[in-house]
Structure formats: C-alpha cells, structure tokens
Amino acid sequence: MTENRLLNLVDSRDFRTLFIDELGWGNPDQNETKFDVNDQVYNLIQVAGYKGLRIWHCPVLPPRKVQRILDDLVGKDSHERLIIFTGDKRQEWRWPRRAQLGSVNAKLLAHEHVVGDRSTHLTHRLEAIELGFDEDISLVTLLERMRDAFGREAETASVQAARLMGALYGELEAAGIEDHDATLLLARLLFLLFGDDADMWKPENVFENYLLEHTTAESLHADLLTLFEVMNTPEGKRALPDGSPYLIFRYVNGGIYADPLKLNKFTPRFRDALIEACEFDWSIISPAVFGSMFQTVKSKEARRDGGEHYTTEENILKTIRPLFLDEFTERLEKSWNDKSQLTKLHNDLGRLRFFDPACGCGNFLIVAYRELRALELELLKRRRDLDLLDKTHIKVAGVDRSQLSFDVTSDIKVTLDHFFGIEIEEWPARIAETAMLLVDHLSNQRMVLEFGQAPDRLPIELAPIIRHDNALRIRWEDVCSRSDDVILMGNPPYLGARLQSVSQKVDQKLIWDDVRGGGTLDYVTNWFLKAAQYMEGTRIRAAFVSTNSISQGGQPAILWNQMHRLGMRINFAYRTFNWENSGSNQAAVHCVIIGFDSGRVGPKKLWLEEELGGGLQYVKNINPFLSSAADVYVWGRTSPLVSGIPLISVGNEPRDGGYLSKLTAQDVEMIRSEDPIAAKYLRPLVGADEHLNDRHRFCLWLQDTTKSEIRSSPVLRQRVEAVEVERRGAKGAKGRAVDRPWSFGAIFQPNREYLLVPSVSSKNRDYVPMSFYGSEYIINNSVFAIESADMSTFGILQSRVFTNWLKIVSSRMKSDFQLSAGVVYNCFPWPDLSDKSRVEIASFAQVLLEERDKNSHLSLSDMYDRNTMPSEVREAHMNLDSAVLEAYSLACNSTDLEISSALFDRYADLISAVDS
C-alpha cells in the first residue's frame, strides 16, 4: 500500500475500497439515509464500519452549518461516526470531537482535503486507523486511534483562532487604539463572528455580508460604531431609513454594545484581516478558551508563539466533576425510569447557584454551564420519552422523534442568571459575560435538534452576574446570596508571600487579620478562608485549584487550623499534578485541587500522584497535607518531638561576598604556593552541590587566626578588607558580623563528626542522600548537620519512611523537596525502638554505607537517581526499609498511603503526650 494509492482512492471517492480493502474495516450495516435540511435532500451512504463506528459519505459539499446539522441527524443512530463530504475539487472529513472526558457536548472538526494534493496529512491519519489482517481490536482502542488521528486538531483550531485575533489586535496597535478600546472592540467582533457561524440570527452570515458589501477600509471604524449603536437599540426605537443595511441586525442588549468606544481610523490591513477572520468557522471553538485567547493576543511574545496558551478543559472538569457534576449525573442514571425522581432532580438543578469569586475570563463558569445544560437536555429528552410511552403505549424506539416538535423552552431551569463571578480586572469580566452568552446559544442549538424549539435569547434578558471588583475587599453575599444551594469553585491567583505586591499584602492582612503566620501564606489561601467564612453554618460546597505549596511545609497548619474552626473538612482532593496548558510551550504549575464543605459524612475521594500509582482512592479522611490520615497540624518545633533524638543544626552562613567561601582552584593553588599563613587556614567546604556531585571546594576558615596573622598575610588582609566593605555596604548592616569580617556571617560548625543532610533533594530520588563527615569539613547554609548521629539514626533517615514524611510535610523548591529543621526533622515521628530493632537497623545502615563505598566512582546524585541507582545500593536500601517499617509495625510491602497514615497516627499520639 503506497501513499499515492490511498490518496488516489480518496480523490476518486472510492471510499468503500479504501476502507474495506486497504484499511481492513468491515462492511456497512446501515442503508442509505436521506435527510431534508432547508428544503434540500442530502443522501448519506455508509461505506464501511467496525463494531459500531461507521464511515459515512455525502457526495456533495454543503455549507458547514448544514454539515453540522447533518452530523447531528446521523449521530442519532450512529453515535461514533466519521462523515466525508465531497465536492469535485474539495472534501471535508468531519469528526465529532467530544468535549473533554466524554462530555455530551461535541465539537465538529473539519479536516479539509484538496483533490490532487499530495502534501496532505490525510495519508498519516488513514495509516493510523488501518486494521491488520488478523487484528481484532476493541472499539475503545479504535476510538483512541480515531481521536488521535482526527481529533488532534482541536488545539490547532484554537491556535488558528488566536492568530486571527492576534492579527486584528496588531493592526489596532498600529492604528494607535488604546488597549481598553481594542479589547472591547475584539469582544464585540467575536460575538458577531461567532453569531454568524453558530446560527444566532437569520439570514446567515449577516455580519460577513455587511462587512463585504457596505464597508470600506477608510470608513470601517465609523461603520462599526454605527453598527454597535444599532445593536444596542431596540428595533422599535431605531430611526433607520428603508433599505438601510442595519435593519437586518438584531437588538442584542445585555451590555455588550452599551459602553462608549473610541476608535481611530483603522489601518488599511485591518479590514482584510477581519474578512479573513470571517472565513474561519468560529463555532468550533469552545467559549471556554476565549479568555485565554484574548490574554494571548495582548502579548506580542505570545502571538509569536502561535497562541498556544490555553488551560485544558480536562483540568476544569477535574474540579467540577467531584464537586457536583458526578453527583447529578449519577442521580440522572438512577432516576432514568422514574418521572417523579426526574422532576425532583430537575427542580434541584434549578435551585443551584454557581459562584466563582476569582472568575477571570469565566472558564469555570462556562464549562460548568455547558455541562449542566447538557445534563438537563438529557433529562428533558428522557422525560419526553417517558411521556410518549405513557401516551402511545408503544416503544419510544418506534417513534420518529426528529419529526416531532416539543416546546420545552419554559422548562429550562439551568439559566445564566444562576451563575455568578467576581473579577478584579474589567476586560476579563467582560469576556466572561460574552463567552457565557455564546455557550448559552450553543446549548440552545442542541435543544433545537432534539425538540425543534429553543428559547430565543435576543434581546438578552438573562445574563450571568459578573462583578468587577476586588473579591477580597467586598462581601460575597452582596454578589451571590448565601444558601445551601450555592456551589463555589475556581482557580484563584497563587503568588507566594514574597511575590505579592503592596496592595496584595494589604488584602492578605484584611483576610488573616492577626492570625499568627497569616502573612507567610500563599495569596490563594485568602480565597479558602474567605470561602469558609461565607460557608459557615450552611451546606455550601466549594473546590479551588491551588499550587501544591498550601499543602506542604508550615502552611497547612496555619490555614486549616482556621478552616477547621469554621467547620470545614476536606471532601475530595487531587494531590500534586501539573496544571498544564494545551500548547507546546507549557508553563507547568504544580497544583492540587481541594474540595471542602461543612463535613458531609461518607468516604472521601483522593486522587494520587502518578509516582504513587495514580488513580482514585476512597478514604475515611483527608487531612491538611492531603493524606488519608487524621487531621493534625504540624507546627514547626525548635527541638525534636521525641526525646533522645540528636539535634539538627543549620550550616554556616558566609555572607561574605564570596571572598572567604568561594575560592577557585587557581586561588587555592596560588595561596598554597605564595602565602603560607593563608594556606594554614584553607579548609574543604561542603554544601549540597559538593556533597551530591562529588565536587571539591575550599574556603578560608579563620576562626583561630589572629589579627597579626591577617596583617602579615597579603591574601588574608586583602580578603578580610573586602568582606568588611561588603558587609558595611549591605542593606541593614549591623551586628557582630560587620565587626568581625574575618569570620563567616553566622557560625554553626560542628565540633565533631556529623551527619550531613542536604536541604533540598530532587523529586527523582527515593531517598535523601546523607553522609558522615569529619569536623574539618566546613559546611555552608545549603545543608544541615546532625552531631551525635549514630548508625540507627542514619538508617532511619535513609529509609523510605523518612522520605515519605519529607514528601508529605516539606515545602517545595519548584518540584523538589525542601527539608526543614522545624517542620520536617523536629516533627518527624520517630519510632519507639527496641534494642533489637536498633541493632538491626544499624546493621543494615552499615551495609548500605559499604555498598555506597563500592560504587564510589558515582556521585551521590547519580547513585541516588531513581533511574540509575546501582542494584546493590537499592537492595541495601530495601533491606533497611524493611527493618524500619517493622519498627513502625508496618509490612515491608506497605503502600505510601499506609506509611503516611501510620506516621500521622504516631505523630498525633506523640503530640497528645506532649500536650498532656
């Protein structure tokens, strides 16, 4: 089979030979079907199929709006299908790409093929869905291949749309139009472009035809201002002459065209760019990406990258599914044959209110509305079918429902005015309103296909309530009244404490008031606490996306001590995952999703990280660290929780500008050859980098030197003087460090052998590599030191159990684990060791050191990389793990969740004993 052979069959429209003989599909199982659309009959012939997935051919190429109607009609009996529309010169292969994770809604993707074109990607798509002679794959597997072959261009369409918008925005910049006016203009144009392609008005392509026939490059700015004024005026109040091109436009209302807009004359290229935008099919773009698209086009750098910066709907669904959508979907399934339960479910849907207090461009509200309207449509269809059964006493399957018309417009209970948002910036708030109106129109279109009728939303009377304000400084009750039917959701801004602006720090102070440690929290925690205050005493449920930092280190104790006091408990959570964009240049943010309410009974849902096996776990409780264990607060301590455990100390802080602590190899060689006094004070310096990567470095350690020696040594005199200048010039210079420039800024050097612990460890390690060093090795502040650490202490710290605790309670530096003295080490719940366990652990720890020595040609970084760890070292660790797990009364095959649960239980017991 050659590429030309496949494309020759495509060009000749011999699809039966193509799919059955060349690609190995089965024979058709459906007869030719005729559909009447807009008084024209279209024939569709099934040419091949496989286990219910059917390939259909329409031997004409109708307008894309008609293609969408035909696809929906075919889809009533062929849920999985590919339809090929063919003309003499051009073909369009239409694949219904369903919204993320199998939603009821679908986007129809058109793959265009020009007859005679041999550079097309169509060949690769066909090869991807070829079935081998003896291949008997499942329908699910074939669907995956089809989606990979024909569904992959969803993001490409979004990128194309962003580029078109970017071109328009660039021309507006060139014309000197202010940013506010440019953004408002693009929002209005987007409404018109989408309305043209999504049958929002009749006749079709009203705006495109107006643009082509009644505007010029010179007059376009004035023409558009006139058009916007017309669309903001009720038909009965317009003073338009007969034959005016504006008579055909609908009154829109809703504020989209109300605000004043100042436009200069456009560049000559702007009209051409707008006409090009009209040729694109905007109806295939989900309104959920409109906001991201506008953010993209406002950035020149993002425009150069092609606009590939969209948050995936899959991640939004991760939040709203467990929050409410799964529950109502399950209720629909359980009520399927019970009209009274369907009615109750419908009434419950109508009482719900959805509130995103940091809505941005409205993505969460848009997806939630779309999914709920799809759910409501399924409910109305089922209730209609049950009514038909009651009235006709025949099977619904025997009724041609497409020929019936049911007026259910008054039955719609999921409406735009049930959706609320707060957004601090004006233009994203406006985009959110516009996108909600467009997704409402798409939902109504699907209702027309099922019932023959749907509400006419023009002029706009129902609209979402989007408040342009600072969510942290207003009463949420003033936007959305509190009731048990409110559902809070969203993706509030993150920002660590150090990155916050002065204004944001004021916000945080208002929310956290005098709560100790509140000023150290991430900005996103403001929404958690304010939500809890809004929810207190109600059955409101909430779920927010956050950076994973709020479930690590010292933040969980501060946050959840307050949340628990207000009655909040975690109901579901996604542990750390990448909140990815759909573009190739992703800025991956490590996020969690936390759903909480006032403590509904029943099992909790916990989704694990990939490294923990992934998937959903049903657990009894989810604590502030998103572990399936008791609710505990891990407050930082100044000494170990368990008595008899050796103290941990931070490393020395040079604060010397590098004059004492950062000697090059050339510096060391020169000192040894030219300055014998300075040479006496050369010491090996070890930090995390030297320890992990087997690098050698020296410093000048002058604790035992004298002033006369410093004066007599050219090297010491010059470097000490440089340190003094450095420290006196530093901001806030004061204290002993300024007065003793021969010394490191802060001294914490051990006096005897110590165990070195790096302060940061890669996520790619199963253990934190630690080693014993003599006191002659000077440490810096990138490591910790534990004096008096015996071999059993070393063994426990080198175990899987300690790594588990570290992963749970530590802060992160990007995605790496950041070990701390106060929270990680001092709060670690050490086991109560018997003499036998102590000896056994020490013995296995000694074996580990010996195996490491045998592989000393490797740096610790390479030795402890999960993918390159020598088998002997791994085996030594596994034996050590078993001994440590046994000390905690855990089996050697315990899961990470079981280990963390045992550690938190042990911690709770120890804290209880200390408090008592």
Side-chain angles (χ1 to χ4, degrees):
M1 178 176 62
T2 65
E3 292 187 7
N4 284 344
R5 166 69 175 158
L6 293 179
L7 292 177
N8 288 341
L9 291 171
V10 169
D11 290 350
S12 64
R13 297 194 273 191
D14 188 356
F15 298 114
R16 186 180 293 266
T17 301
L18 171 67
F19 279 92
I20 296 176
D21 296 344
E22 298 291 350
L23 301 179
W25 285 55
N27 289 310
D29 60 356
Q30 298 283 308
N31 295 324
E32 179 178 344
T33 306
K34 300 179 184 292
F35 295 108
D36 188 335
V37 178
N38 297 336
D39 297 325
Q40 182 170 343
V41 176
Y42 295 91
N43 296 335
L44 279 94
I45 305 111
Q46 188 196 356
V47 296
Y50 185 85
K51 295 185 178 180
L53 197 165
R54 300 183 176 98
I55 311 296
W56 293 87
H57 175 215
C58 178
V60 294
L61 185 61
R64 286 190 170 181
K65 294 180 179 63
V66 174
Q67 292 181 31
R68 289 195 292 275
I69 294 171
L70 291 171
D71 177 81
D72 274 309
L73 293 171
V74 172
K76 291 180 182 296
D77 295 311
S78 292
H79 185 66
E80 306 296 350
R81 73 269 181 195
L82 172 72
I83 305 181
I84 308 169
F85 297 93
T86 62
D88 292 337
K89 302 295 184 182
R90 193 166 56 86
Q91 303 176 4
E92 291 192 359
W93 296 48
R94 301 285 260 180
W95 169 256
R97 174 183 175 269
R98 280 163 191 80
Q100 297 290 344
L101 303 179
S103 161
V104 177
N105 288 326
K107 303 170 192 174
L108 207 57
L109 300 181
H111 299 273
E112 188 174 82
H113 171 67
V114 176
V115 175
D117 184 4
R118 291 300 178 262
S119 63
T120 178
H121 293 293
L122 183 57
T123 300
H124 302 299
R125 294 193 174 98
L126 294 173
E127 290 172 346
I129 60 173
E130 180 185 4
L131 302 177
F133 179 75
D134 295 324
E135 195 171 15
D136 184 21
I137 63 173
S138 67
L139 175 60
V140 172
T141 301
L142 181 57
L143 281 173
E144 289 176 354
R145 293 188 187 179
M146 291 291 290
R147 287 165 187 153
D148 184 55
F150 290 96
R152 69 177 62 174
E153 289 191 1
E155 285 74 28
T156 302
S158 298
V159 170
Q160 186 179 353
R163 284 177 178 154
L164 291 168
M165 277 287 165
L168 292 171
Y169 190 84
E171 296 300 324
L172 294 177
E173 279 187 320
I177 294 174
E178 295 293 330
D179 184 70
H180 168 81
D181 294 314
T183 304
L184 186 56
L185 172 62
L186 290 181
R188 293 179 178 182
L189 292 176
L190 178 62
F191 188 89
L192 286 162
L193 292 166
F194 193 90
D196 262 11
D197 289 332
D199 296 325
M200 193 174 286
W201 35 66
K202 299 293 183 183
E204 297 178 352
N205 302 323
V206 169
F207 175 63
E208 182 179 5
N209 292 335
Y210 163 78
L211 184 66
L212 292 170
E213 298 172 11
H214 300 286
T215 70
T216 66
E218 285 287 315
S219 66
L220 182 57
H221 66 294
D223 296 332
L224 289 178
L225 288 174
T226 302
L227 173 61
F228 298 157
E229 183 179 353
V230 168
M231 297 184 73
N232 193 48
T233 305
E235 282 87 343
K237 296 182 178 181
R238 297 175 181 174
L240 296 173
D242 292 341
S244 169
Y246 299 106
L247 287 170
I248 200 168
F249 286 94
R250 299 281 306 272
Y251 168 47
V252 173
N253 195 16
I256 296 179
Y257 295 96
D259 289 350
L261 180 62
K262 182 180 179 181
L263 297 179
N264 305 331
K265 183 181 291 186
F266 299 138
T267 65
R269 165 66 187 146
F270 182 82
R271 184 172 180 272
D272 294 335
L274 187 54
I275 291 171
E276 184 181 357
C278 287
E279 295 170 355
F280 180 75
D281 185 357
W282 291 90
S283 68
I284 68 173
I285 305 298
S286 167
V289 305
F290 286 165
S292 298
M293 185 170 65
F294 272 78
Q295 288 172 321
T296 296
V297 301
K298 293 181 74 172
S299 162
K300 291 181 180 178
E301 181 179 352
R303 292 205 299 273
R304 285 196 301 270
D305 289 341
E308 301 178 350
H309 298 275
Y310 309 115
T311 301
T312 63
E313 294 179 22
E314 179 180 358
N315 280 334
I316 296 173
L317 287 165
K318 280 182 178 178
T319 306
I320 69 173
R321 279 187 159 173
L323 179 60
F324 64 86
L325 194 56
D326 286 345
E327 173 188 334
F328 290 104
T329 301
E330 291 168 8
R331 283 186 59 184
L332 177 61
E333 293 173 355
K334 291 178 180 179
S335 306
W336 197 246
N337 295 311
D338 189 327
K339 288 174 63 176
S340 64
Q341 289 301 311
L342 288 173
T343 300
K344 184 179 186 307
L345 170 58
H346 201 191
N347 290 334
D348 289 345
L349 289 175
R351 282 193 292 270
L352 294 176
R353 300 295 183 269
F354 299 88
F355 184 14
D356 184 346
C359 70
C361 296
N363 289 18
F364 275 77
L365 297 173
I366 292 164
V367 175
Y369 183 76
R370 182 195 71 196
E371 296 300 311
L372 284 165
R373 282 294 306 273
L375 182 73
E376 183 181 40
L377 179 61
E378 291 299 303
L379 186 154
L380 291 172
K381 286 162 55 180
R382 182 56 181 167
R383 202 168 66 181
R384 172 199 61 190
D385 292 347
L386 292 177
D387 286 343
L388 285 173
L389 275 171
D390 289 344
K391 292 177 181 178
T392 63
H393 303 290
I394 62 173
K395 293 183 180 180
V396 177
V399 179
D400 186 0
R401 294 172 299 185
S402 65
Q403 302 301 316
L404 301 176
S405 178
F406 297 83
D407 186 1
V408 294
T409 57
S410 61
D411 294 337
I412 297 174
K413 296 182 183 294
V414 179
T415 54
L416 287 174
D417 57 334
H418 294 177
F419 289 74
F420 304 80
I422 304 174
E423 171 51 38
I424 195 168
E425 294 187 32
E426 180 183 8
W427 73 264
R430 184 57 53 85
I431 297 303
E433 293 170 348
T434 305
M436 287 290 284
L437 297 173
L438 298 183
V439 79
D440 177 61
H441 176 71
L442 292 177
S443 299
N444 293 334
Q445 279 188 309
R446 296 191 65 80
M447 179 166 280
V448 170
L449 292 172
E450 284 295 335
F451 292 97
Q453 297 187 40
D456 182 358
R457 296 299 199 199
L458 295 181
I460 296 167
E461 296 178 354
L462 294 177
I465 291 84
I466 308 295
R467 174 85 169 263
H468 169 218
D469 215 324
N470 185 335
L472 301 181
R473 300 191 185 186
I474 65 172
R475 284 165 37 92
W476 290 5
E477 297 93 316
D478 294 340
V479 178
C480 179
S481 299
R482 292 191 337 145
S483 79
D484 289 345
D485 297 310
V486 173
I487 295 175
L488 282 169
M489 58 188 174
N491 184 9
Y494 304 143
L495 291 175
R498 296 180 180 179
L499 299 176
Q500 294 169 19
S501 67
V502 173
S503 176
Q504 289 165 337
K505 288 184 182 295
V506 172
D507 292 340
Q508 190 130 331
K509 177 65 176 174
L510 289 172
I511 300 299
W512 287 94
D513 196 20
D514 295 324
V515 175
R516 183 179 178 183
T520 67
L521 298 174
D522 288 358
Y523 196 56
V524 69
T525 60
N526 295 309
W527 274 262
F528 278 82
L529 185 57
K530 188 148 187 175
Q533 294 165 346
Y534 173 80
M535 297 162 66
E536 186 181 14
T538 73
R539 299 183 64 186
I540 295 173
R541 62 184 95 170
F544 291 135
V545 180
S546 169
T547 45
N548 59 2
S549 52
I550 73 163
S551 60
Q552 302 162 353
Q555 295 201 57
I558 302 170
L559 171 61
W560 283 95
N561 185 40
Q562 300 301 313
M563 298 285 286
H564 286 157
R565 288 181 181 183
L566 294 167
M568 299 300 113
R569 293 295 183 273
I570 299 176
N571 194 50
F572 71 88
Y574 275 85
R575 287 165 59 111
T576 300
F577 67 99
N578 286 347
W579 184 265
E580 296 174 340
N581 298 319
S582 62
S584 58
N585 297 323
Q586 298 175 3
V589 180
H590 297 93
C591 288
V592 294
I593 299 173
I594 300 176
F596 56 96
D597 52 34
S598 57
R600 281 182 291 170
V601 297
K604 316 300 182 185
K605 295 180 179 180
L606 182 62
W607 281 267
L608 306 181
E609 304 97 316
E610 289 300 323
E611 55 261 36
L612 295 183
L616 169 63
Q617 298 268 337
Y618 288 90
V619 298
K620 293 182 179 179
N621 190 65
I622 301 174
N623 74 7
F625 291 94
L626 306 189
S627 180
S628 57
D631 289 323
V632 293
Y633 312 126
V634 181
W635 300 102
R637 299 175 57 86
T638 57
S639 61
L641 182 58
V642 177
S643 61
I645 299 301
L647 299 177
I648 192 170
S649 171
V650 296
N652 305 297
E653 297 181 29
R655 286 186 272 171
D656 65 337
Y659 295 108
L660 301 178
S661 62
K662 294 184 178 179
L663 303 183
T664 66
Q666 292 81 2
D667 291 335
V668 173
E669 183 179 351
M670 182 274 292
I671 289 171
R672 284 174 172 165
S673 63
E674 299 180 13
D675 194 331
I677 295 176
K680 291 195 306 181
Y681 297 103
L682 286 172
R683 297 287 186 276
L685 178 73
V686 59
D689 183 48
E690 292 76 24
H691 168 68
L692 293 170
N693 296 298
D694 199 21
R695 296 196 172 111
H696 300 283
R697 193 165 132 202
F698 284 84
C699 68
L700 288 166
W701 187 251
L702 306 179
Q703 295 307 106
D704 298 325
T705 193
T706 64
K707 291 183 179 180
S708 63
E709 282 185 308
I710 293 174
R711 287 193 297 268
S712 301
S713 165
V715 169
L716 297 184
R717 184 175 65 252
Q718 180 185 13
R719 288 180 176 266
V720 168
E721 288 174 355
V723 173
E724 184 173 12
V725 172
E726 175 78 17
R727 289 180 182 168
R728 292 195 183 280
K731 184 178 180 180
K734 60 182 178 179
R736 294 180 59 196
V738 175
D739 299 329
R740 45 181 176 79
W742 60 87
S743 171
F744 278 24
I747 305 296
F748 302 100
Q749 179 63 25
N751 295 318
R752 54 183 179 270
E753 184 183 63
Y754 59 89
L755 180 63
L756 183 146
V757 181
S759 62
V760 177
S761 188
S762 169
K763 68 174 183 176
N764 296 321
R765 299 187 189 119
D766 294 322
Y767 309 93
V768 182
M770 306 176 193
S771 294
F772 288 100
Y773 285 83
S775 59
E776 70 275 13
Y777 283 85
I778 309 302
I779 56 175
N780 68 16
N781 55 350
S782 66
V783 298
F784 295 95
I786 305 173
E787 289 189 75
S788 307
D790 60 16
M791 199 58 68
S792 64
T793 301
F794 169 73
I796 291 172
L797 293 176
Q798 290 291 256
S799 72
R800 177 185 168 204
V801 172
F802 180 77
T803 306
N804 182 285
W805 179 258
L806 173 69
K807 288 180 177 180
I808 294 171
V809 306
S810 75
S811 301
R812 300 286 196 274
M813 183 175 287
K814 295 184 179 178
S815 59
D816 294 334
F817 306 113
Q818 197 164 11
L819 193 144
S820 66
V823 172
V824 177
Y825 182 82
N826 288 336
C827 291
F828 179 59
W830 296 81
D832 188 7
L833 290 178
S834 66
D835 291 341
K836 178 184 176 183
S837 291
R838 191 180 303 278
V839 170
E840 187 177 38
I841 290 171
S843 175
F844 283 121
Q846 183 61 48
V847 172
L848 171 62
L849 287 177
E850 292 169 0
E851 292 299 336
R852 281 171 31 169
D853 286 343
K854 293 176 183 177
N855 289 274
S856 59
H857 61 284
L858 295 175
S859 68
L860 287 174
S861 180
D862 291 335
M863 191 183 303
Y864 274 81
D865 187 290
R866 186 178 294 120
N867 299 315
T868 58
M869 177 178 276
S871 58
E872 304 88 348
V873 176
R874 182 168 297 282
E875 183 179 354
H877 267 291
M878 292 174 65
N879 291 333
L880 178 57
D881 288 341
S882 296
V884 175
L885 286 165
E886 186 178 350
Y888 284 92
S889 300
L890 290 168
C892 62
N893 62 348
S894 295
T895 66
D896 280 346
L897 280 180
E898 291 168 339
I899 294 172
S900 61
S901 181
L903 288 174
F904 277 117
D905 289 343
R906 171 71 173 158
Y907 176 82
D909 292 342
L910 291 169
I911 285 292
S912 178
V914 169
D915 292 342
S916 61

